[in-house]
């Protein structure tokens, strides 16, 4: 079980958190102008990488804040956590 | 069998404290400090069980948690019964009752033993190969196979014991209290680390604590004396917590470990009342030191499983620790020096050793010379080729090994014995290390897997790290712990060791025999009866992956997870396939290391805490008034209120009729309520609901539909504008938490610029809905100050008011199609206001109704229930709710998806009403809907989502989803059931009062 360093609360058990899928997928500002394919790309297509992945997490049983996490899915090492809207501190 | 197998030399046994216990219905005696295994051995009992497949007699093989054979049932037929317990781990207590498993009628005479004779036709994969055809017969086979398979019996009644979970946070966790674990714990604790030391045994010191041999010394003291002083010292350290009888079950990522602490299992039953039996420790350690030691390997030869054949180290432990001789005429069979330690222990007590069979040609160690000096015959370069004796070993035959160890040569010699100790060297216990994600490497010299890459802040020390010699263990423990903890002071000045042992070993995975492999039974996995022959067969049949061979032969799949024989299985595979050991890797080590009880896993989450539920503030009233409840999410909701032995149907018919004829009252407190505030609250609602919200006046309510981004209906509810920047949203009961989560998600991540704040206020209010033609009269009595005229308080509006000086919010909204009010008041006053309403409604036959009637009433009106009539595949258009989707709004969640090529298809499933040809016939919810019954295969058009008998319409009504249903009004369809086909007509989903006359009636 991970020990996650919530950017607002500090280190907490993974059981307090909920994973929210791939990070940095921005909702299109003008959906009406997108083709079906472009909209489908936003809606359905997600990466599932073996290696370094950018993810959204929510401290759902804590401060309820969403934040981003960089995790290596091959060994579950958490490389960084950072607030929504911030640039990832690692590549 | 002589009576005296007990030697009065052990300080671990309290011989003044005699303990009586029962094994297979016979009473025996042991002493305090004994395990069940040591007490049985002291009584001359080796045969304790039957093997899984061939029902061969099996005896006690080991002295620890790795035991594959001595698996017994404790307290059979009692509430505390426990199956598959290792006799080697059970500490005896007065009144212990144990019995053998997997045998009938008794362990001495077991009918299943016939399987042993049938074994030539029971090869690996026998069940897969035989019982798969004809497939239809499987159900018949299964009954008999299940009956004859299986180990112990599961308990039939509730467990009376208490279990609990506990979190532990520490700087350093040390697993295993042998020499290296004790040293590591001392170094950590003395250097200021908050340290926890755990060991699965009841005592500290591991196998060194009873090592009184002159051949291994530390600082010129006998190992056990040196270690005792160390233990004495660490037991006083403030920084160190020590837990014995604590077995680490799992080592997860981020140094999170689960351990089972056994608190009462060693106590007589009558001393266990009101005590916690076992505790699941959830340990989060900054650093983990694994010192789990190693497990002695058996040797693989023909008939290597008879009772009386034991690990050599176990024989040593039984004599040194428990003072019990396992046999009176012993033979040791080894490929390394450790068996000579056992020999010395036996010699010291004058127990006869008939011979030592050693695979090695050359043996060059002080201890072996000492053994030879005692006139013990050592057969060098020999191997055991067979054993004899059915219920107990009585003979072995040996032959000389060829130079390459692949064949046997010369004559066969037979030797008598009643106990054969085997030692095939040692396997590091790397189970926990690999569970944590660690990667192993294979060390060719002595054919062991040892830790290589650590995935977290942890280290393995001692023999679980492949250090077997005393000097190596101490030297490496000191240096690696210093480095690992980054400390200067090791707490140890000089540690001098003397060892009479040599580390040489002649490793032969499968010992050769004079018989062909097909005629031998050389057990690799004792518990699952997997033999070397089975493994070779699997390879011949084309299995290559170790994981596949494991499953095909069931090697390592018993409750012991093959702690003894897995390495041999790997060795035999690599030898047979001609590959390198290291390349195969190992099978996956999975938690738990030793089996956990269900009690430990669930802890306190039993009974009413198993699945906690939520009660509304009015719950007690419902209980007092005979309500039946249904679970909605975590809530207990009143389902219906049966009167005078009514069944559900009768109660619901009565309640539904009363609600439309006069007045009904419903506890709607479970609806989710989200308080929304902020200058952008209106804009926010515009974005999350499909309809327009900007123009909703203060004091007005509006129904809203929420979609997922994929256009499918997600939730619905009425939202009320309380003020300029203040709304209260209601959600479905089950969807409340998810809706709040979803809204928070959008606010925090997509629209952080919006000034909006959300709070869940579901629990803060009790919600009482009063409906029906007399609702207005009732509410006017309860809230006399409020003007309820249609002009002042029209449908879909809201008023702040007071009941007995308590503030409340009253909405005129309706989920039944009747004139109706929702009173929201502070939860604490919910029950009294409900009672007030009941009192006020007495003259109007006010009738409490539950969720079932609510569902019926709304179905009459064609109102959907999200999650019942929808299933995340329906858009508002599919639900024929086009009216609620704003054409003007530029965007809202899910809007773009409403005109994807898939969502605009005409033949999507759409919500329709269904009327049965026979108005008395009520459809089954979930039933399939078809058009053409003759077509093959029959095309399924959809299914029934809601179905009721309406007492108000006096006919059966149903809602369903049907492909292209929107354009099928009036069309006849068929619902095929098991015994009949029901004819239905597609109808408007609004069955009652489409014009809304009841809602707007002047009352």
């Amino acid at each position: 079980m991970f020990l996650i360093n919530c950017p607002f609360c500090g280190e907490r058990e993974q059981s307090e958190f909920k994973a929210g899928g791939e990070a940095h997928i921005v909702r299109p500002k003008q959906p009406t102008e997108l083709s079906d394919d472009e909209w489908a790309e936003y809606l359905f297509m997600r990466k599932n990488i073996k290696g370094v992945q950018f993810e959204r997490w929510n401290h759902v049983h804590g401060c309820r804040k969403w934040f981003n996490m960089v995790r290596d899915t091959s060994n579950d090492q958490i490389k960084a956590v950072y607030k929504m809207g911030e640039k990832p501190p690692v590549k | 069998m002589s009576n005296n197998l007990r030697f009065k030399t052990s300080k671990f046994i309290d011989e003044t404290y005699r303990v009586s216990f029962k094994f297979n219905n016979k009473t025996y005696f042991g002493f305090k400090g004994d395990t069940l295994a040591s007490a049985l051995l002291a009584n001359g009992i080796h045969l304790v069980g039957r093997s899984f497949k061939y029902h061969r007699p099996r005896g006690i093989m080991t002295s620890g948690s790795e035991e594959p054979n001595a698996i017994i049932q404790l307290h059979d037929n009692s509430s505390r019964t426990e199956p598959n317990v290792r006799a080697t781990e059970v500490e005896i207590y007065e009144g212990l009752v144990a019995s053998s498993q997997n045998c009938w009628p008794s362990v001495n005479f077991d009918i299943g033993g016939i399987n042993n004779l049938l074994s030539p036709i029971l090869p690996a994969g026998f069940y897969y190969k035989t019982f798969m055809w004809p497939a239809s017969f499987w159900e018949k086979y299964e009954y008999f196979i299940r009956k004859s398979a299986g180990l112990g019996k599961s308990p039939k009644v509730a467990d009376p014991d208490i279990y609990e979970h506990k979190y532990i946070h520490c700087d350093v966790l040390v697993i295993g209290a042998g020499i290296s674990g004790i040293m590591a714990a001392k170094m950590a604790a003395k250097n200021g680390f908050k340290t926890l030391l755990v060991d699965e045994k009841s005592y500290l010191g591991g196998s060194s604590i009873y090592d009184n041999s002159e051949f291994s010394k530390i600082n010129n003291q006998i190992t056990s004396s040196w270690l005792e002083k160390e233990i004495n010292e660490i037991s006083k350290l403030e920084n160190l917590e020590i837990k014995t009888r604590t077995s680490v079950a799992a080592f997860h990522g981020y140094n999170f470990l689960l351990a089972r602490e056994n608190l009462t299992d060693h106590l007589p039953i009558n001393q266990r009342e009101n005590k916690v039996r076992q505790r699941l420790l959830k340990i989060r350690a900054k650093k983990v030191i694994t010192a789990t030691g190693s497990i002695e390997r058996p040797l693989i030869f023909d008939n290597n499983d008879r009772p009386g054949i034991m690990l050599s180290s176990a024989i040593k432990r039984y004599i040194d620790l428990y003072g019990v001789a396992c046999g009176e005429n012993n033979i040791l069979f080894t490929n390394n020096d450790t068996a000579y330690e056992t020999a010395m222990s036996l010699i010291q007590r004058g127990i006869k050793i008939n011979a030592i069979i050693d695979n090695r040609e050359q043996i060059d160690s002080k201890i072996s010379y000492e053994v030879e000096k005692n006139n013990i015959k050592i057969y060098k370069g020999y191997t055991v080729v067979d054993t004899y004796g059915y219920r107990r070993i009585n003979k072995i035959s040996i032959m000389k090994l060829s130079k390459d160890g692949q064949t046997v040569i010369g004559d066969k010699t037979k030797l008598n014995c009643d106990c054969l100790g085997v030692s095939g060297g040692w396997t590091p216990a790397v189970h926990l290390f690999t569970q944590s994600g660690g990667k192993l490497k294979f060390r060719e010299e002595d054919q062991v897997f040892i830790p290589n890459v650590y995935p977290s802040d942890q280290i393995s020390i001692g023999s679980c790290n492949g250090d077997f010699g005393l000097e190596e263990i101490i030297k490496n423990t000191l240096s690696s712990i210093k480095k690992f903890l980054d400390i200067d002071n090791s707490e140890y000045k000089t540690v001098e060791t003397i060892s009479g042992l040599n580390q040489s070993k002649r490793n032969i995975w499968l010992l050769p025999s004079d018989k062909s492999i097909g005629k031998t039974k050389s057990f690799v996995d004792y518990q699952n009866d997997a033999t070397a022959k089975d493994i070779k067969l699997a390879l011949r049949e084309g299995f290559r992956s170790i994981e596949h061979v494991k499953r095909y032969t069931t090697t390592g799949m018993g409750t012991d997870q093959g702690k003894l024989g897995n390495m041999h299985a790997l060795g035999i595979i690599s030898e047979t396939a001609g590959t390198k050991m290291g390349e195969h890797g190992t099978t996956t080590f999975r938690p738990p290391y030793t089996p956990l009880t269900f009690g430990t896993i669930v802890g306190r989450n039993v009974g009413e805490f198993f699945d906690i539920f939520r009660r509304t503030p009015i719950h007690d009233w419902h209980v007092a008034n005979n309500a039946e409840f249904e679970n909605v999410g975590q809530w207990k909701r009143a389902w219906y209120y049966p009167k005078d032995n009514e069944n559900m149907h009768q109660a619901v018919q009565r309640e539904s009729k009363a609600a439309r004829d006069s007045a009904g009252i419903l506890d709607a407190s479970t609806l989710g309520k989200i308080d929304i505030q902020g200058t952008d609250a209106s804009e926010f609602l515009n974005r999350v609901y499909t309809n327009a919200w900007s123009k909703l006046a203060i004091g007005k309510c509006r129904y809203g539909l929420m979609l997922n981004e994929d256009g499918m209906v997600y939730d619905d509810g009425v939202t009320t504008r309380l003020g300029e920047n203040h709304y209260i949203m209601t959600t479905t009961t089950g969807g409340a938490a998810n809706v709040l989560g979803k809204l928070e998600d959008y606010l925090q991540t997509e629209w952080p610029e919006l000034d909006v704040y959300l709070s869940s206020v579901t629990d803060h209010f009790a919600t009482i809905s009063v409906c029906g033609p007399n609702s207005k009269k009732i509410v006017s009595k309860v809230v006399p100050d409020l003007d309820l005229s249609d002009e002042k308080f029209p449908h879909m509006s809201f008023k702040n008011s007071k009941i007995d000086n308590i503030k409340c919010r009253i909405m005129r909204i309706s989920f039944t199609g009747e004139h109706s009010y929702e009173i929201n008041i502070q939860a604490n006053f919910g029950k009294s206001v409900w009672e007030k309403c009941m009192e006020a409604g007495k003259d109007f036959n006010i009738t409490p109704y539950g969720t079932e009637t609510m569902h019926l009433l709304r179905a009459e009106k064609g109102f959907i229930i999200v999650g019942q009539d929808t299933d995340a595949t329906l858009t508002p258009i599919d639900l024929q709710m086009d009216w609620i989707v704003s054409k003007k709004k530029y965007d809202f969640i899910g809007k773009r998806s409403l005109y994807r090529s898939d969502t605009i298809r005409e033949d999507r499933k759409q919500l329709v009403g269904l009327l049965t040809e026979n108005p008395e016939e009520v459809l089954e919810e979930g039933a399939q809907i078809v058009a053409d019954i003759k077509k093959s295969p029959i095309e399924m058009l959809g299914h029934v989502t809601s179905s009721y008998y309406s007492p108000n319409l006096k006919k059966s009504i149903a809602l369903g989803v049907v492909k292209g249903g929107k354009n099928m009004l009036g069309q006849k369809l068929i619902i095929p059931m098991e015994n009949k086909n029901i004819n239905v007509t597609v109808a408007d989903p609004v069955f009652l009062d489409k014009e809304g006359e009841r809602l707007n009636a002047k009352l």
Side-chain angles (χ1 to χ4, degrees):
Chain A
M1 188 160 46
F2 305 166
L3 199 57
I4 297 173
N5 191 12
C6 169
F8 304 93
C9 307
E11 279 191 341
R12 295 289 190 277
E13 294 276 327
Q14 184 187 345
S15 55
E16 293 184 13
F17 297 84
K18 186 175 96 173
E22 193 181 341
H24 302 296
I25 294 178
V26 181
R27 188 175 188 272
K29 288 271 176 277
Q30 295 169 318
T32 45
E33 278 155 40
L34 300 182
S35 69
D36 268 13
D37 284 351
E38 286 166 332
W39 180 245
E41 183 67 31
Y42 159 72
L43 202 53
F44 302 120
M45 297 307 171
R46 296 293 182 271
K47 291 186 198 120
N48 187 15
I49 301 163
K50 183 180 181 185
V52 175
Q53 183 161 285
F54 296 82
E55 302 172 331
R56 288 154 27 92
W57 283 75
N58 184 6
H59 194 183
V60 66
H61 299 297
C63 63
R64 298 190 62 86
K65 284 284 194 186
W66 284 90
F67 60 93
N68 291 324
M69 184 196 283
V70 188
R71 180 173 68 103
D72 188 331
T73 58
S74 68
N75 59 14
D76 279 340
Q77 291 306 307
I78 297 169
K79 307 266 180 207
V81 289
Y82 53 102
K83 291 177 184 173
M84 280 291 161
E86 290 179 357
K87 286 229 160 66
V90 291
K91 281 215 166 165
Chain B
M1 184 73 51
S2 121
N3 292 323
N4 197 9
L5 293 164
R6 181 79 71 172
F7 290 77
K8 302 192 176 200
T9 49
S10 172
K11 58 187 164 212
F12 295 92
I13 296 291
D14 181 357
E15 288 180 46
T16 61
Y17 194 135
R18 214 162 77 127
V19 175
S20 75
F21 65 96
K22 270 190 177 166
F23 179 66
N24 288 338
N25 294 320
K26 215 179 141 194
T27 302
Y28 297 94
F29 295 96
F31 295 116
K32 194 175 182 205
D34 264 326
T35 62
L36 179 57
S38 69
L40 287 170
L41 290 167
N43 283 284
I45 295 171
H46 276 259
L47 171 58
V48 291
R50 290 277 175 160
S51 72
F52 189 67
K53 188 168 155 191
Y54 303 130
H55 291 252
R56 284 168 69 101
R58 289 284 164 81
I60 297 158
M61 175 103 198
T62 73
S63 58
S65 57
E66 67 273 26
E67 176 63 36
N69 287 343
I71 308 286
I72 49 106
Q73 180 106 21
L74 283 183
H75 298 284
D76 197 7
N77 292 323
S78 99
S79 59
R80 283 195 165 88
T81 191
E82 192 178 343
N84 309 337
V85 178
R86 291 152 302 283
T88 50
E89 288 197 303
V90 177
E91 297 173 52
I92 61 165
Y93 46 85
E94 190 62 37
L96 171 79
V97 180
S99 43
S100 297
Q101 299 180 162
N102 205 32
C103 55
W104 186 85
S106 80
V107 71
N108 282 304
F109 177 74
D110 174 19
I111 284 186
I114 195 156
N115 280 8
N116 189 34
L117 303 173
L118 297 176
S119 64
I121 59 162
L122 290 172
F126 171 73
Y127 290 99
Y128 297 127
K129 286 167 179 163
T130 311
F131 295 107
M132 294 324 283
W133 37 260
S136 60
F137 266 55
W138 170 247
E139 283 177 25
K140 291 185 179 65
Y141 293 139
E142 191 186 9
Y143 174 76
F144 292 100
I145 293 173
R146 294 245 183 269
K147 241 183 117 138
S148 64
L151 294 163
K153 288 179 268 178
S154 52
K156 297 263 189 300
V157 289
D159 187 340
D161 279 316
I162 307 165
Y163 301 82
E164 66 181 24
H165 291 179
K166 187 183 178 188
Y167 277 92
I168 294 185
H169 299 266
C170 58
D171 295 328
V172 176
L173 168 69
V174 183
I175 311 164
I179 286 193
S180 49
I182 299 269
M183 290 176 73
K186 176 170 149 186
M187 289 162 77
K190 282 203 147 186
N191 279 284
F193 293 93
K194 190 184 159 204
T195 306
L196 173 66
L197 172 66
V198 301
D199 195 281
E200 61 178 3
K201 300 271 195 228
S202 59
Y203 52 88
L204 298 176
S207 57
S208 303
I209 197 65
Y210 52 85
D211 190 357
N212 303 318
S213 158
E214 290 289 330
F215 288 90
S216 58
K217 284 189 170 178
I218 303 174
N219 286 348
N220 227 5
Q221 301 166 54
I222 287 172
T223 306
S224 60
S225 324
W226 181 84
L227 197 52
E228 266 171 38
K229 282 179 208 139
E230 288 292 306
I231 292 169
N232 197 27
E233 187 186 343
I234 64 163
S235 58
K236 291 171 195 147
L237 294 178
E238 273 188 11
N239 247 353
L240 178 66
E241 188 180 1
I242 300 171
K243 283 184 183 290
T244 53
R245 300 189 175 100
T246 301
S247 165
V248 174
F251 190 165
H252 295 295
Y254 288 77
N255 284 353
F256 181 72
L257 299 97
L258 297 174
R260 187 254 299 125
E261 184 182 16
N262 226 332
L263 297 158
T264 64
D265 276 358
H266 59 291
L267 300 176
I269 301 277
N270 61 13
Q271 288 175 30
R272 298 185 189 180
E273 287 307 311
N274 302 319
K275 288 183 187 150
V276 173
R277 180 191 171 201
Q278 290 172 342
R279 209 180 261 151
L280 186 72
L281 306 177
K282 300 178 173 185
I283 306 168
R284 185 72 81 167
K286 291 200 179 103
K287 287 167 170 285
V288 177
I289 298 169
T290 307
T292 45
S294 50
I295 297 171
E296 192 167 31
R297 290 179 189 171
L299 289 163
I300 313 298
F301 52 92
D302 192 16
N303 290 314
N304 59 343
D305 66 324
R306 298 192 191 280
I309 301 180
M310 306 174 71
L311 293 182
S312 146
S313 60
I315 295 175
K316 179 171 158 62
R317 185 188 297 260
Y318 285 118
I319 188 67
D320 285 347
L321 189 75
Y322 303 102
V324 174
C326 297
E328 291 168 293
N329 184 18
N330 300 279
I331 294 180
L332 297 172
F333 178 27
T334 186
N335 67 6
N336 69 94
D337 266 3
T338 47
Y340 293 86
E341 290 187 303
T342 306
M344 284 313 299
S345 290
L346 295 173
I347 291 165
Q348 273 165 22
R349 286 169 187 78
I351 302 165
K352 187 184 170 193
I353 302 173
N354 197 5
I356 294 180
I357 321 296
D358 199 319
N359 286 165
R360 299 171 295 180
E361 292 282 352
Q362 303 285 329
I363 308 159
D364 180 24
S365 58
K366 279 187 197 152
I367 195 164
S368 67
Y369 296 138
E370 181 68 21
V371 169
E372 259 181 324
K373 252 189 249 166
N374 281 279
N375 294 322
I376 302 218
K377 167 85 175 151
I378 302 176
Y379 290 87
K380 295 177 187 173
Y382 273 77
T383 181
V384 176
V385 289
D386 204 354
T387 68
Y388 311 88
Y390 186 59
R391 296 192 181 93
R392 173 88 182 256
I393 188 169
N394 57 29
K395 241 191 273 6
I396 61 168
S397 55
I398 62 169
M399 287 176 86
K400 183 97 176 137
L401 279 166
S402 64
K403 272 235 157 66
D404 63 359
Q406 296 300 300
T407 51
V408 280
I409 47 178
D411 293 333
K412 210 187 275 190
T413 310
K414 286 198 178 178
L415 298 169
N416 290 325
C417 67
D418 61 357
C419 182
L420 176 69
V422 294
S423 176
W426 296 79
T427 299
V430 294
H431 308 70
L432 294 175
F433 165 78
T434 42
Q435 277 180 24
S436 77
K439 297 275 176 286
L440 299 165
K441 71 175 171 212
F442 189 67
R443 195 165 68 192
E444 286 289 341
E445 308 95 86
D446 54 351
Q447 305 273 299
V448 292
F449 282 103
I450 53 171
N452 188 25
V453 183
Y454 293 102
S456 63
D457 199 358
Q458 56 163 300
I459 193 168
S460 293
I461 54 167
S463 63
C464 73
N465 193 39
D467 294 341
F468 295 115
L470 189 59
E471 189 187 349
E472 261 188 299
I473 290 175
I474 291 182
K475 202 179 76 194
N476 292 348
T477 295
L478 284 173
S479 63
S480 50
I481 295 296
K482 259 174 98 169
K483 202 172 142 202
F484 179 63
L485 298 179
D486 192 18
I487 51 176
D488 297 326
N489 184 2
S490 73
E491 304 299 329
Y492 291 91
K493 287 194 182 83
T494 49
V495 186
E496 300 275 335
T497 56
I498 303 169
S499 176
L501 274 72
N502 205 315
Q503 294 302 317
S504 86
K505 180 164 92 175
R506 186 181 188 188
N507 196 78
I508 304 170
W509 293 117
L510 172 60
L511 290 158
S513 166
D514 54 330
K515 289 186 239 164
S516 71
I517 177 100
K519 296 221 165 89
T520 62
K521 276 206 190 72
S522 309
F523 289 91
V524 175
D525 183 315
Y526 299 85
Q527 195 175 100
N528 274 348
D529 274 351
T531 62
K533 180 174 70 179
D534 293 328
I535 292 171
K536 293 209 171 203
L537 177 69
L539 290 163
R540 260 208 321 280
E541 292 183 0
F543 290 92
R544 282 296 174 270
S545 153
I546 169 69
E547 295 283 2
H548 290 158
V549 174
K550 165 182 166 174
R551 281 158 185 78
Y552 192 57
T553 62
T554 70
T555 304
M557 290 176 71
T559 58
D560 62 332
Q561 297 190 3
K563 290 186 178 75
L564 294 187
N566 270 358
M567 281 299 293
H568 303 82
L570 286 168
I572 293 167
I573 290 168
S574 76
E575 272 175 10
T576 310
T579 50
K580 278 195 158 178
M581 273 292 271
E583 289 166 10
H584 283 281
T586 62
T587 51
T588 313
F589 295 90
R590 291 192 176 85
Y593 178 69
T594 46
L596 294 173
T597 58
F598 282 108
T600 312
I601 294 166
V602 298
R604 298 269 180 178
N605 299 322
V606 292
E608 61 178 313
F609 300 116
F610 177 67
D611 190 15
I612 51 158
F613 58 86
R614 300 168 81 180
R615 277 176 274 227
T616 76
I618 309 162
H619 186 85
D620 292 347
W621 190 93
H622 305 317
V623 172
N625 285 272
N626 204 27
E628 292 289 332
F629 290 88
E630 81 167 324
N631 297 329
V632 184
Q634 294 299 119
W635 289 100
K636 291 276 174 207
R637 290 199 75 177
W639 193 10
Y640 59 97
Y641 301 81
K643 259 188 185 174
D644 312 326
N645 299 322
E646 279 175 332
N647 61 23
M648 178 164 106
H649 175 74
Q650 291 161 336
V652 169
Q653 296 291 304
R654 173 179 53 76
E655 291 170 14
S656 308
K657 195 123 182 34
R660 292 230 188 271
D661 290 351
S662 178
I665 181 166
L666 172 81
D667 180 0
S669 307
T670 62
L671 286 182
K673 302 171 205 70
I674 301 170
D675 188 88
I676 303 173
Q677 299 191 41
T679 51
D680 294 317
S682 304
E683 171 60 16
F684 179 65
L685 290 174
N686 260 334
R687 295 187 192 184
V688 300
Y689 277 132
T690 60
N691 46 349
W693 288 78
S694 324
K695 289 191 186 127
L696 185 71
I698 294 170
K700 296 285 177 194
C701 316
R702 183 166 287 172
Y703 174 75
L705 206 55
M706 205 179 281
L707 310 184
N708 261 332
E709 205 67 273
D710 62 6
M712 304 304 156
V713 171
Y714 182 71
D715 205 81
D716 68 345
V718 170
T719 294
T720 303
R721 189 166 195 177
L722 303 173
E724 177 62 28
N725 299 319
H726 191 187
Y727 291 83
I728 183 140
M729 172 188 279
T730 58
T731 73
T732 59
T733 297
N738 290 336
V739 169
L740 180 68
K742 180 185 159 95
L743 300 183
E744 275 289 352
D745 187 353
Y746 274 91
L747 264 184
Q748 288 179 33
T749 65
E750 298 294 350
W751 309 319
E753 72 279 6
L754 293 185
D755 175 38
V756 177
Y757 302 90
L758 307 174
S759 312
S760 167
V761 292
T762 304
D763 292 322
H764 303 39
F765 294 94
T767 304
I768 298 160
S769 170
V770 182
C771 78
N774 286 316
S775 59
K776 190 172 179 176
K777 291 181 194 131
I778 296 166
V779 173
S780 69
K781 278 192 186 170
V782 178
V783 203
D785 298 342
L786 192 62
D787 183 348
L788 296 179
S789 67
D790 288 342
E791 297 72 38
K792 286 276 164 30
F793 197 8
H795 182 54
M796 296 309 269
S797 64
F798 137 84
K799 291 275 181 262
N800 277 315
S801 188
K802 279 184 179 175
I803 300 173
D804 290 345
N805 229 13
I806 308 298
K807 277 194 217 164
C808 62
R809 290 172 181 163
I810 301 178
M811 282 87 169
R812 193 179 150 193
I813 51 178
S814 172
F815 191 41
T816 60
E818 294 297 320
H819 190 106
S820 107
Y821 300 90
E822 245 181 54
I823 303 168
N824 287 278
I825 191 150
Q826 271 183 60
N828 291 349
F829 300 101
K831 189 160 162 258
S832 62
V833 171
W834 174 279
E835 281 164 346
K836 234 177 164 45
C837 292
M838 290 302 296
E839 180 61 32
K842 225 187 205 166
D843 299 339
F844 305 101
N845 183 33
I846 189 167
T847 302
Y849 65 91
T851 49
E852 193 62 25
T853 293
M854 174 184 86
H855 286 184
L856 191 162
L857 295 173
R858 64 86 207 180
E860 290 177 336
K861 286 291 294 174
F863 294 151
I864 58 157
I865 290 193
V866 173
Q868 176 165 343
D869 300 298
T870 74
D871 60 0
T873 65
L874 297 170
T875 69
I877 321 298
D878 299 335
L879 294 170
Q880 306 214 45
M881 290 173 77
D882 311 43
W883 53 271
I884 203 167
V885 180
S886 164
K887 305 272 183 303
K888 288 182 195 143
K889 279 202 291 183
Y890 178 71
D891 193 14
F892 55 81
I893 297 172
K895 173 164 176 148
R896 174 62 185 83
S897 292
L898 294 180
Y899 53 93
R900 288 176 57 234
S901 57
D902 184 55
T903 45
I904 54 173
R905 279 190 298 115
E906 285 290 308
D907 63 343
R908 288 177 64 81
K909 282 185 186 167
Q910 288 142 358
L911 187 80
V912 294
L914 297 168
L915 290 172
T916 48
E917 200 174 70
N918 169 6
E920 298 301 313
E921 179 110 62
V922 180
L923 298 174
E924 263 185 45
E925 289 175 357
Q928 295 289 330
I929 304 170
V930 306
D932 186 353
I933 205 90
K934 292 191 187 81
K935 207 165 136 189
S936 181
I938 303 178
E939 190 193 357
M940 298 298 177
L941 296 180
H943 65 276
V944 178
T945 59
S946 296
S947 173
Y948 308 91
Y949 184 81
S950 161
N952 301 300
L953 296 158
K954 297 196 173 57
K955 65 181 179 189
S956 150
I957 57 166
L959 298 172
V961 289
V962 178
K963 275 185 194 166
K966 220 184 262 188
N967 300 321
M968 291 169 85
L969 206 64
Q971 209 163 310
K972 299 234 182 296
L973 294 174
I974 299 162
I975 316 273
M977 299 302 291
E978 200 177 353
N979 305 317
K980 60 187 170 186
N981 295 321
I982 303 170
N983 296 320
V984 294
T985 312
V986 177
D988 190 313
V990 185
F991 299 101
L992 181 113
D993 187 27
K994 191 162 187 180
E995 296 70 34
E997 283 169 14
R998 303 177 73 93
L999 197 66
N1000 300 315
K1002 292 278 167 213
L1003 298 175

